[in-house]
Amino acid sequence: MGSAMDPKPELTVVDDATALADAAARAIVEIAEEAVSARRRFTVALAGGNTPRTTYERLAAAPLREQMPWDRTWIFFGDERAVPPDHPESNYRMANAALLSKVPVPAAHVARLRGEAEDADVAAAEYSKLMTEVFGSRRGELPSFDLILLGMGIDGHIASLFPGSPVLKEVFRPVAAVHAAAASIPQRMTFTLPLINAAARVMFLVAGGEKAKVVKAVLNDASSGLPASMVRPTAGRLTWLLDKSAAALLATAKSR
Ligand code: 6PG
């Protein structure tokens, strides 16, 4: 295991997607408890896609539900598709169904990206502003999340940062509207790399054999140019939680 400031990612490989959800949910509770005892609150950005669903369900059920400091937890979203919150492709809808609707997190602590907004640039700017207020960040200072959860697509995308996207070069805005031609819903909003890399902890959740190749590309070659390789928290920890199939092509992977 590495320590804070260690640029090397910390890898944990577990048997399967179920074990991944268990490990992720337990880690989230641990990070939340540490954050609350250190700073009286826990700020987390949820990932979309399918992989985290089971993790969210674990958090919403005993025993973890009772352990989470919900009243001290603030929840954001790392990305959202340009759809209303009740749309089947909405990341908020998934998180709400699996987690938020089932736990006593105060409604005012849940900040959703307005996928239904007419102007995604405006919605992204509003989200950045809200975040700055919640974090009490100074002008020009990026909020530092206690935890940002990320999934990864088979093309190496993270949040809604896709390979070759001009938004990968963003240096100023924490949240941006993007157009991802390859995605089923191309219009999206996403955290940018500066915001992701300002986090105290970034945790990837990756499962399934179809991800093995890209996991290898990202973890064995820091200069792969893939969006996932660009996640390097400047002063935080980077953790990869993988199941065996996703880690299958990693020479160094140790199971536990
Ligand atoms: C999104 C996501 C995206 C996701 C990956 C992996 O809104 O699509 O946030 O970045 O995490 O596509 O998705 P799976 O976990 O479903 O493979």
Side-chain angles (χ1 to χ4, degrees):
M1 283 299 210
S3 58
M5 311 287 204
D6 186 342
K8 278 189 109 165
E10 302 163 23
L11 256 62
T12 300
V13 181
V14 297
D15 276 348
D16 52 25
T18 308
L20 184 101
D22 285 335
R26 275 187 278 109
I28 293 167
V29 173
E30 216 173 277
I31 296 165
E33 284 171 339
E34 275 171 26
V36 169
S37 58
R39 290 177 294 283
R40 301 238 329 113
R41 73 165 165 191
F42 172 54
T43 50
V44 60
L46 301 182
N50 286 317
T51 312
R53 186 193 311 264
T54 335
T55 301
Y56 300 163
E57 287 168 356
R58 292 286 187 284
L59 281 177
L64 299 181
R65 183 184 186 276
E66 283 63 47
Q67 289 167 28
M68 265 299 284
W70 295 113
D71 59 334
R72 306 302 313 155
T73 296
W74 274 257
I75 295 175
F76 288 79
F77 287 79
D79 78 324
E80 185 57 278
R81 296 95 181 256
V83 294
D86 56 354
H87 189 282
E89 291 284 331
S90 162
N91 284 337
Y92 171 80
R93 179 176 185 263
M94 186 281 272
N96 190 50
L99 175 66
L100 306 174
S101 63
K102 302 201 168 119
V103 298
V105 61
H109 291 192
V110 178
R112 140 180 117 68
L113 273 158
R114 294 184 58 250
E116 72 280 24
E118 244 169 59
D119 188 329
D121 285 304
V122 171
E126 282 170 2
Y127 204 60
S128 306
K129 187 165 172 269
L130 173 67
M131 199 181 281
T132 305
E133 284 162 12
V134 170
F135 280 80
S137 326
R138 283 188 293 269
R139 221 183 140 75
E141 181 190 71
L142 285 165
S144 175
F145 275 86
D146 293 311
L147 175 63
I148 295 182
L149 294 173
L150 292 177
M152 178 176 66
I154 50 170
D155 58 356
H157 81 260
I158 47 149
S160 285
L161 295 167
F162 288 76
S165 168
V167 179
L168 290 168
K169 300 208 171 74
E170 179 65 46
V171 289
F172 177 66
R173 290 173 303 166
V175 185
V178 286
H179 188 86
S184 57
I185 309 264
Q187 191 60 47
R188 292 155 170 253
M189 284 174 271
T190 185
F191 277 23
T192 61
L193 285 166
L195 178 60
I196 294 171
N197 286 331
R201 182 84 173 251
V202 178
M203 194 159 82
F204 275 91
L205 310 180
V206 185
E210 69 281 7
K211 305 266 174 83
K213 263 193 181 163
V214 67
V215 165
K216 183 184 177 195
V218 169
L219 287 175
N220 286 0
D221 179 8
S223 60
S224 74
L226 294 169
S229 302
M230 299 175 189
V231 176
R232 290 184 208 127
T234 35
R237 284 169 65 179
L238 174 59
T239 308
W240 282 74
L241 259 174
L242 302 158
D243 76 347
K244 266 189 190 155
S245 337
L249 300 176
L250 291 177
T252 53
K254 283 191 195 71
S255 301
R256 63 168 217 189

